[in-house]
């Protein structure tokens, strides 16, 4: 009876929720449907959700006109490397900054926090100069190395690991476990939700990054997806909107898949921590 | 219309690259390419080695074909073209200059040349490389900074009046030859069914100035004095030009909030008859022919822009090829530029891209003078002007954009706008 009552009294909550959902999803729907529209229909000035004269030409152009495959492979390689690097290095640093006593710990954390506040534009040119001086221009190293560990990732991991009880770590230490053992068998398994969050954030930022790969990649075979799509869809005086939207659709798909996949761990992680 | 985001892109990166140029590039590069030092002449021996080129958009797609022809003539050379997205090219070029990690050649918009030269990014054109008299004179002028040429024009871009011929016939008007006829012409097209008699871009950052400035020039006004030492904006001529621009909105010919956005929609709207007329570039011809098919000739008229007291002056922009100061193969790079500047190759490139060649002799070779639509552009090229080639142009143009919007909205009089432009632009300066 009580359950029925709450359900009954709550149905109206779905109205604003549905409106919100509609507003959020609508641009995506329009993007996907635009990917199937010819240019004239996109520019016709009328808002239509479904294409009137659906076409696959945009996708055909996308996959045949350019070296789409190599852009895709580059994007995947870079994103995967960046995510793995962040998971490993940020969690290590997060552990050190929250659980190990060493001189200069607070100062080091202050440095991380400061880096978090420096806008990327400021470091953009110096970073590129640094990378070219290291002889890395136009290599995967240039696309990956500068982002292997990020201040945001260190901050997230430190804050999460801080909440893990010290007694667990002390018990392990009494049993004779070294720092690496503690890190890999206690800290990492308990940090699931934070690692999932970090993975999603870093994958997103690496996958969508535009300016850095544009500048760091000196030849077309090193371009990533966003750069490649900007290259083919926008000319000096025209924009091929269909091609652009088709490209955007293809770019979004892996992110959706990743999120759907990690979402399970996300929720699982949160519910288990809640039970403790 | 070309590359409207360049202005904003440039403004963002200029500061960073300027401050870093000194430490970013090695000393050897700096001394070898001291600005305005007379560069050694390029000999006639075949080019050797790899020549790397950055080119944008459709030009980037087609340039490899010229590269192949070059390689046939120079078997020991190899031309590698990397496509760069148009909108973001300034960032890429600036960062490359700052770090010294550059290709040999880049294509660029004349508006941006002075900024990159100020960052010591480009080498001066070697003496005797090209015969300047064979090029469009204003396009050549747009490559010079303090008398030294830093780039070679590849193509030109000027704008003419595109109008709906059928609507004009219905309204009983013909293409306006003078300012006086322009407003009545636009009003008649509007009466005949167009939403905008003449499309004006009023509030578009990075672009409004390209629409507004030709009216100033048509009135006989100029942005600066002849030696480019000071602005000459608070003059009766400039005021008259600004007033003409404002009158188009006041008379209801143009919408107060006219826009060329979304980019590439102007041709669609013209084909639909939503726009009665618009001043735009030759790139409109191809898409319009595609959209209208056989109806193109009866629906679209193209005419040179209406003349004011100072003549029928139109905006001139285009594409230039520059060689980086840190180029690894400057000798090969200049030889490639000399190659593409021959009438035959320039004509070939124009056929591939539908660009208007900057080399005047290429027009006949490409048969451009025979196409009646393109021939109008040839006429228009006799009367064009370019903004001054100065590193502060990105900031200055955004000031003009702002006044353009206020003029269209009627929140400033032409007199106050001219005085304001003089004051605000002088505060930014010419260097």
């Amino acid at each position: 009876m009580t359950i029925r009552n709450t359900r009954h009294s709550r149905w109206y909550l779905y109205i604003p929720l549905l409106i919100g959902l509609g507003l959020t999803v609508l641009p995506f729907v329009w993007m996907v449907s635009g990917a199937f529209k010819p240019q004239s229909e996109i520019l016709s000035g009328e808002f239509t959700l479904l294409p009137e004269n659906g076409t696959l030409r945009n996708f055909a152009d996308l996959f045949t006109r350019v070296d789409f495959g190599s852009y895709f492979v580059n994007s995947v390689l870079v994103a995967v490397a960046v995510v793995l690097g962040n998971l490993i290095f940020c969690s290590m640093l997060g552990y050190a900054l929250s659980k190990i006593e060493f001189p200069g710990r607070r100062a080091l954390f202050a440095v991380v926090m400061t880096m978090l506040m420096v806008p990327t534009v400021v470091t953009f040119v110096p970073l590129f100069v640094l990378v070219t001086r290291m002889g890395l221009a136009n290599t995967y190293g240039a696309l990956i190395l500068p982002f292997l560990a990020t201040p945001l990732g260190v901050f997230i991991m430190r804050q999460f690991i801080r909440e893990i009880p010290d007694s667990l770590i002390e018990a392990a230490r009494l049993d004779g476990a070294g720092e690496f053992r503690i890190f890999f068998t206690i800290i990492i398994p308990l940090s699931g939700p934070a690692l999932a969050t970090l993975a999603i954030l870093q994958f997103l930022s690496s996958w969508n990054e535009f300016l850095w790969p544009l500048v760091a990649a000196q030849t077309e075979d090193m371009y990533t997806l966003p750069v490649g799509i900007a290259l083919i869809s926008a000319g000096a005086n025209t924009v091929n909107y269909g091609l652009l939207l088709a490209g955007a659709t293809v770019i979004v798909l892996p992110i959706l898949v990743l999120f759907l996949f990690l979402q399970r761990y996300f929720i699982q992680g949160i519910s288990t921590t809640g039970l403790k | 219309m070309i590359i409207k985001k360049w202005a904003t892109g440039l403004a963002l990166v200029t500061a960073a690259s300027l401050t870093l140029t000194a430490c970013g590039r090695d000393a050897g590069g700096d001394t070898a390419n001291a600005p305005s030092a007379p560069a050694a002449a390029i000999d006639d021996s075949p080019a050797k080695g790899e020549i790397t080129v950055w080119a944008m958009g459709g030009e980037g797609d087609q340039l490899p074909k010229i590269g192949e022809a070059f390689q046939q003539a120079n078997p020991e050379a190899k031309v590698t073209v990397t496509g760069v997205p148009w909108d973001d090219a300034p960032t890429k070029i600036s960062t490359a200059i700052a770090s010294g990690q550059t290709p040999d050649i880049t294509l660029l918009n004349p508006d941006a040349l002075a900024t990159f030269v100020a960052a010591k990014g480009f080498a001066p054109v070697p003496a005797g490389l090209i015969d300047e008299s064979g090029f469009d004179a204003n396009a050549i002028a747009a490559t010079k900074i303090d008398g030294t040429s830093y780039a070679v024009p590849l193509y030109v871009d000027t704008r003419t009046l595109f109008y709906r011929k059928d609507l004009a016939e219905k309204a009983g008007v013909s293409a306006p030859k003078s300012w006086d006829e322009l407003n009545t012409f636009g009003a008649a097209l509007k009466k005949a069914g167009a939403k905008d008699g003449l499309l004006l871009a009023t509030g578009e950052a990075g672009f409004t100035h390209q629409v507004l400035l030709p009216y100033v020039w048509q009135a006989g006004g100029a942005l600066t004095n002849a030696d480019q030492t000071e602005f000459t904006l608070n003059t009766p001529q400039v005021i008259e030009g600004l007033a003409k621009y404002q009158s188009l909105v006041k008379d209801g010919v143009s919408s107060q909030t006219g826009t060329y956005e979304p980019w590439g929609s102007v041709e669609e709207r013209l084909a639909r008859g939503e726009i009665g007329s618009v001043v735009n570039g030759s790139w409109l011809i191809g898409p319009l022919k595609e959209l209208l098919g056989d109806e193109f000739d009866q629906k679209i008229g193209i005419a040179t822009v209406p003349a004011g007291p100072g003549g029928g002056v139109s905006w001139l922009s285009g594409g230039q090829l520059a060689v980086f100061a840190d180029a690894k193969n400057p000798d090969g790079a200049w030889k490639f530029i000399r190659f593409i500047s021959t009438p035959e190759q320039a004509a070939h490139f124009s056929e591939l891209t539908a660009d208007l060649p900057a080399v005047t002799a290429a027009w006949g070779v490409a048969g451009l003078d025979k196409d009646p639509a393109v021939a109008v552009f040839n006429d228009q090229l006799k009367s064009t002007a370019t903004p001054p080639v100065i590193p502060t142009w990105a900031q200055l143009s955004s000031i003009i954009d702002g006044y353009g919007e206020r003029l269209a909205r009627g929140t400033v009089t032409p007199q106050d706008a001219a005085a304001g432009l003089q004051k605000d632009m002088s505060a930014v300066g010419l260097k």
Side-chain angles (χ1 to χ4, degrees):
Chain A
M1 198 56 194
T2 42
I3 291 170
R4 264 186 70 185
N5 263 347
T6 35
R7 257 191 202 164
H8 195 70
S9 60
R10 273 186 172 181
W11 66 269
Y12 55 85
L13 280 179
Y14 284 92
I15 297 173
L17 285 176
L18 278 175
I19 294 174
L21 181 75
L23 287 176
T24 323
V25 169
L26 200 63
F28 285 92
V29 175
W30 192 80
M31 173 187 82
V32 175
S33 95
F36 293 96
K37 286 179 188 170
Q39 176 91 340
S40 57
E41 210 175 300
I42 295 174
L43 291 174
S44 72
E46 288 163 36
F47 183 84
T48 49
L49 215 48
L50 289 176
E52 279 164 36
N53 307 297
T55 170
L56 286 173
R57 206 184 122 186
N58 296 325
F59 286 96
D61 279 355
L62 191 64
F63 290 108
T64 54
R65 252 186 52 197
V66 288
D67 198 2
F68 190 81
S70 85
Y71 301 156
F72 194 86
V73 169
N74 288 343
S75 267
V76 170
L77 262 175
V78 171
V80 168
V82 166
V83 168
L84 286 179
N86 271 279
L87 291 182
I88 296 169
F89 297 123
C90 293
S91 53
M92 281 181 167
L93 196 52
Y95 171 57
L97 286 176
S98 57
K99 295 293 180 196
I100 304 176
E101 286 294 342
F102 60 92
R105 188 176 93 164
R106 288 174 67 92
L108 193 62
F109 184 61
V111 170
V112 172
M113 291 306 292
T114 314
M115 281 166 67
L116 200 57
M117 285 159 209
V118 178
T120 43
V121 238
V122 178
T123 55
F124 195 82
V125 175
L127 188 61
F128 186 68
V129 172
L130 199 68
V131 164
T132 46
R133 291 267 170 99
M134 290 168 77
L136 288 173
N138 207 29
T139 61
Y140 286 113
L143 296 174
I144 295 167
L145 268 182
F147 308 103
L148 272 187
T150 54
L152 180 69
V154 174
F155 180 68
I156 291 175
M157 293 314 296
R158 178 202 177 255
Q159 296 309 101
F160 191 87
I161 295 172
R162 229 159 72 108
E163 302 303 317
I164 295 174
D166 282 342
S167 49
L168 270 177
I169 298 166
E170 278 158 19
R173 243 179 226 135
L174 284 177
D175 291 341
E179 293 300 340
F180 274 98
R181 182 131 187 200
I182 294 172
F183 178 72
F184 282 112
T185 54
I186 295 176
I187 302 296
I188 288 290
L190 286 175
S191 305
L195 290 171
T197 310
L198 185 61
I200 289 177
L201 286 179
Q202 291 306 333
F203 186 86
L204 268 179
S205 72
S206 169
W207 192 254
N208 291 334
E209 178 65 45
F210 177 75
L211 266 190
W212 180 258
L214 169 79
V215 169
Q218 307 257 308
T219 53
E220 277 174 53
D221 57 329
M222 293 300 294
Y223 279 179
T224 56
L225 270 183
V227 182
I229 285 165
L231 174 70
I232 56 172
S233 59
N237 309 303
T238 51
V239 177
N240 189 337
Y241 293 99
L243 195 59
L244 190 70
L245 292 171
T249 306
V250 173
I251 287 187
V252 160
L253 279 179
I255 299 176
L256 277 181
V257 170
L258 182 88
F259 187 75
L260 288 177
F261 179 69
L262 281 184
Q263 197 188 25
R264 285 177 51 213
Y265 292 86
F266 216 52
I267 293 165
Q268 211 177 40
I270 289 167
S271 60
T272 45
T273 38
L275 282 175
K276 268 176 198 150
Chain B
M1 160 124 117
I2 217 151
I3 341 160
K4 57 186 258 179
K5 271 202 325 202
W6 272 48
T8 22
L10 275 172
L12 279 174
V13 291
T14 308
S17 69
L18 282 180
T19 43
L20 272 146
T21 308
C23 64
R25 294 185 39 227
D26 41 40
D30 279 318
T31 45
N33 296 292
S36 67
I42 300 295
D43 60 35
D44 286 331
S45 64
K48 289 189 183 97
E50 188 179 26
I51 300 157
T52 49
V53 187
W54 282 354
M56 302 93 202
E59 288 74 25
D61 286 345
Q62 302 300 338
L63 209 53
K65 291 184 184 141
I66 307 292
E68 281 163 27
F70 182 72
Q71 281 164 212
Q72 274 173 9
N74 303 271
E76 284 177 67
K78 184 177 181 303
V79 179
T80 311
V81 178
T82 297
V84 177
W86 256 125
D87 284 353
D88 309 283
T91 316
K92 194 167 163 98
I93 297 172
S94 301
T95 322
I97 290 172
S99 68
Q101 177 78 28
T102 67
D104 297 315
I105 303 175
T106 187
L107 175 66
L108 81 153
N109 181 13
D111 280 6
L113 180 70
T115 310
F116 298 137
V117 170
K120 297 191 171 60
F122 292 150
V125 179
L129 182 80
I130 49 153
D131 174 16
E132 291 188 349
S133 64
F135 287 78
D136 180 276
N138 276 338
I140 285 287
T143 64
K144 293 199 177 200
I145 293 160
D146 296 335
T148 310
S149 204
Y150 286 92
V152 174
L154 178 64
Y155 59 87
V156 286
D157 142 31
T158 191
R159 292 101 201 248
T160 60
L161 183 75
F162 286 75
Y163 64 98
R164 283 295 296 251
K165 214 195 262 176
D166 52 336
L167 292 183
E169 276 163 17
K170 197 170 129 193
V173 287
S174 55
K177 298 246 176 328
S178 70
W179 268 17
D180 296 335
E181 293 166 25
L182 177 62
N183 294 32
T184 44
F185 174 77
L189 291 180
K190 207 171 166 180
K191 238 184 193 159
K195 215 171 93 190
D196 260 312
L198 171 75
L199 180 71
L200 277 189
T202 53
E204 279 175 48
F207 183 58
T208 299
H209 65 277
Q210 300 189 18
V211 176
L212 172 60
L213 280 181
Y215 291 101
V216 170
W217 293 326
Q218 286 159 20
L223 289 177
T224 65
N225 58 1
D227 338 326
Q228 287 192 5
T229 49
E230 59 183 335
F231 289 104
T232 54
L233 289 155
N234 204 356
T235 63
Q237 291 86 356
V238 173
I239 293 173
E240 195 180 351
L242 300 178
K244 182 66 187 174
Y245 170 87
Q246 195 176 41
S247 77
L248 290 163
V249 178
K250 270 194 174 159
D251 294 355
V253 173
S254 305
S255 153
Q256 209 175 47
T257 53
T259 173
Y260 281 49
E261 296 279 1
W263 224 228
S265 72
V266 171
E267 47 268 46
E268 301 273 346
R269 286 186 273 163
L270 192 63
R272 275 205 307 276
E274 190 182 312
I275 300 170
S277 63
V278 61
V279 175
N280 214 325
S282 59
W283 53 83
L284 234 54
I285 298 173
L288 278 174
K289 280 186 174 164
E290 202 173 299
L291 286 164
L292 291 168
D294 295 341
E295 294 180 321
F296 176 83
D297 284 331
Q298 77 190 70
K299 281 198 171 166
I300 300 294
I302 305 174
T304 50
V305 295
V313 187
S314 185
W315 178 270
L316 184 84
S317 182
Q320 311 174 329
L321 293 173
V323 173
F324 285 95
D326 284 324
K328 286 169 200 75
N329 188 2
D331 182 71
W334 288 120
K335 282 174 180 164
F336 179 66
I337 291 179
R338 183 169 62 190
F339 181 76
I340 201 171
S341 301
T342 57
E344 298 72 40
Q345 293 306 323
H348 184 201
F349 189 63
S350 157
E351 280 158 20
L352 293 169
T353 57
D355 286 338
L356 306 175
V359 179
T360 338
W363 282 68
V365 182
L368 289 172
D369 42 359
K370 292 189 188 72
D371 184 333
V374 183
V376 179
F377 283 86
N378 205 354
D379 284 344
Q380 185 65 65
L381 280 172
K382 294 177 187 121
S383 182
T384 59
T386 53
V389 191
I390 45 176
T392 47
W393 181 247
Q395 283 162 277
L396 295 173
S397 65
S398 72
I399 294 174
I400 304 173
D401 290 340
Y403 277 99
E405 180 166 16
R406 290 168 63 191
L407 282 164
R409 292 190 178 275
T411 56
V412 66
T413 63
Q415 288 77 11
D416 290 348
L421 281 168
Q422 176 73 21
K423 185 166 158 278
D424 295 356
M425 288 171 72
S426 299
V428 173
L430 277 154
K431 295 271 173 200

